[in-house]
Structure formats: C-alpha cells, structure tokens
Amino acid sequence: MKKSILFLALALLMSIDYATAQKQVGSDKNVEFTFAPLGGNPIGIQGIRLRSFNSDGTGAIRLGLWIGGTTNVDVNTQPGIIEDDQPELLTTDRSFNFSIRPGYEKHFAGTDRLSPYVGAELFIGMGSTSTEEENYSTNDFDDPDNYVVWTETSTDGDMTIGLNLLTGFDFYFSDNIYLGAEMGFGFSSTSIRDGEFEVSDLDAFKIANGIPEDTDVEFDPTINGSNSAWGPNVQGTLRVGVLIN
C-alpha cells in the first residue's frame, strides 16, 4: 500500500508541465532528501544532503548527514515466574548511528532539465549498540531468599572511514525541483570497538554463576577486529531535492 501511494505521488509530480523546469544556474543552495522506493520502508527518509553551487552552476560542495537510533524493549520473563513477588523483567536493545559525507561534484551541460555529474565524497560514520537484560535472584550469600532485580549490560560499536568516487544525475521535472540517482566505486575500512560487559550487582552475578564470594571478578573487554571493502556500489535510493536561489 505504501509503495502504491509513493508511485502515485511520483506519477503526479512527473505530470507537471516540463516547460517551467529549470536546473541550477549558479550560486544556488540545495536541500535534498533520499528515500528507498523499493525498500521495506519506502517513505522513510534515508538521509539529508546539502549542496552549494559555484557561480556558474558547474560545481558544488556537498555535505550528507545522517543521525538516528532505535530502542527495543522486550519482556524476557513474565511476572511471578521465578518467585511470587518477582516483577516483570525486561531486555532493552539500543542502537545509535551517525554519519557525515563531505564531497564535491563536477556538473556537465546535459540538457535544460538534466544535470549529469561526477564527484567524490569522504565517508565518516560511527555506531553503537547496547543490550541491557534484567535478572531476578538473590544478592546475599547469607540469605538466599533476598531476591533483587539486577542487570547485565553489553555494549559495542564501530567506526567507518571511506572514500567514494561517484557519478549521477539530477532531472528537473519542475522549476528548481528534481529527482536524482547515483552510483559509485569506493573503499571503506571499519574498526570494531572492543565489547564491554558490566553488571549492576556483582554479588548477585557471582551467586547466579556459582562464583565464590571472595573471588575477584573483572570483566575484560572482548577484543574485536576490523574489516574493509572496496568495489562498485549502487545507491538503492532516489534523491529528491529543491534549489534555494
């Protein structure tokens, strides 16, 4: 249903009289949004890009931005399963992502409504995830009936740096309004941050895992690695932009 609505909207936009269409003429500013028409969430915004054209409209400095996150809460244990007075226990997953893409475009003559270009952009991105799980057990070695709620939390993250050579086009279907697409060839390197683990109640953790009371417990980071990739890439998104003179 969402895809049908989206394609209907695009059809209506494309029906606008092309006689009024005008592409950049120089010193224009540009606000642009990207979305994935064939993805699972076709009307969701995939990012925002700003562009500033030079005086004759043949070159543009660009800056792409994305920031977002998720929080997902699940009930891992229903009330009263472990003990009669045991509350509802939750598992909470969180994520956060941020990226910035500075770059430059060189535009060619094309046609009155078509503006093809080549360019390059640098990609810097970072993300983090965490999982917090609630438990219910005793935290007293001398009183096994002293039940409390305590949590185990795992966190990790990554950072990516990349460079992308690209080509694309802007098609102006109305005055200063366009659709565009883009593809490129690039390289990226991702460093995965060491995983960390912590608990809110160390005694409860020891008892739950059968660790003697007088044992020193330290949670060493989980050492992770890195990965890299290179090759052609096709952006699975369409770009919709507006020029601001």
Side-chain angles (χ1 to χ4, degrees), residues 113-161:
R113 297 191 297 272
L114 184 67
S115 182
Y117 63 85
V118 296
E121 69 175 5
L122 178 67
F123 175 84
I124 301 173
M126 60 188 66
S128 65
T129 61
S130 69
T131 298
E132 181 182 274
E133 183 174 357
E134 293 182 337
N135 300 279
Y136 189 69
S137 63
T138 182
N139 69 342
D140 192 329
F141 282 89
D142 299 321
D143 183 4
D145 295 325
N146 183 43
Y147 275 66
V148 297
V149 175
W150 58 281
T151 60
E152 298 175 291
T153 304
S154 301
T155 59
D156 57 24
D158 59 68
M159 181 171 183
T160 300
I161 297 178

Side-chain angles (χ1 to χ4, degrees), residues 110-227:
T111 67
D112 290 342
R113 297 191 297 272
L114 184 67
S115 182
Y117 63 85
V118 296
E121 69 175 5
L122 178 67
F123 175 84
I124 301 173
M126 60 188 66
S128 65
T129 61
S130 69
T131 298
E132 181 182 274
E133 183 174 357
E134 293 182 337
N135 300 279
Y136 189 69
S137 63
T138 182
N139 69 342
D140 192 329
F141 282 89
D142 299 321
D143 183 4
D145 295 325
N146 183 43
Y147 275 66
V148 297
V149 175
W150 58 281
T151 60
E152 298 175 291
T153 304
S154 301
T155 59
D156 57 24
D158 59 68
M159 181 171 183
T160 300
I161 297 178
L163 178 66
N164 199 30
L165 304 178
L166 50 90
T167 182
F169 66 87
D170 302 330
F171 180 76
Y172 289 77
F173 58 84
S174 183
D175 194 15
N176 294 334
I177 305 175
Y178 64 85
L179 288 175
E182 196 171 271
M183 65 178 296
F185 188 95
F187 168 84
S188 66
S189 176
T190 301
S191 175
I192 304 173
R193 193 178 73 195
D194 292 346
E196 298 181 354
F197 178 80
E198 62 181 11
V199 298
S200 64
D201 192 316
L202 187 57
D203 284 343
F205 175 82
K206 288 181 179 180
I207 295 171
N209 290 274
I211 301 173
E213 181 178 7
D214 58 354
T215 301
D216 291 332
V217 176
E218 294 183 1
F219 301 110
D220 295 327
T222 301
I223 299 175
N224 293 314
S226 62
N227 60 68

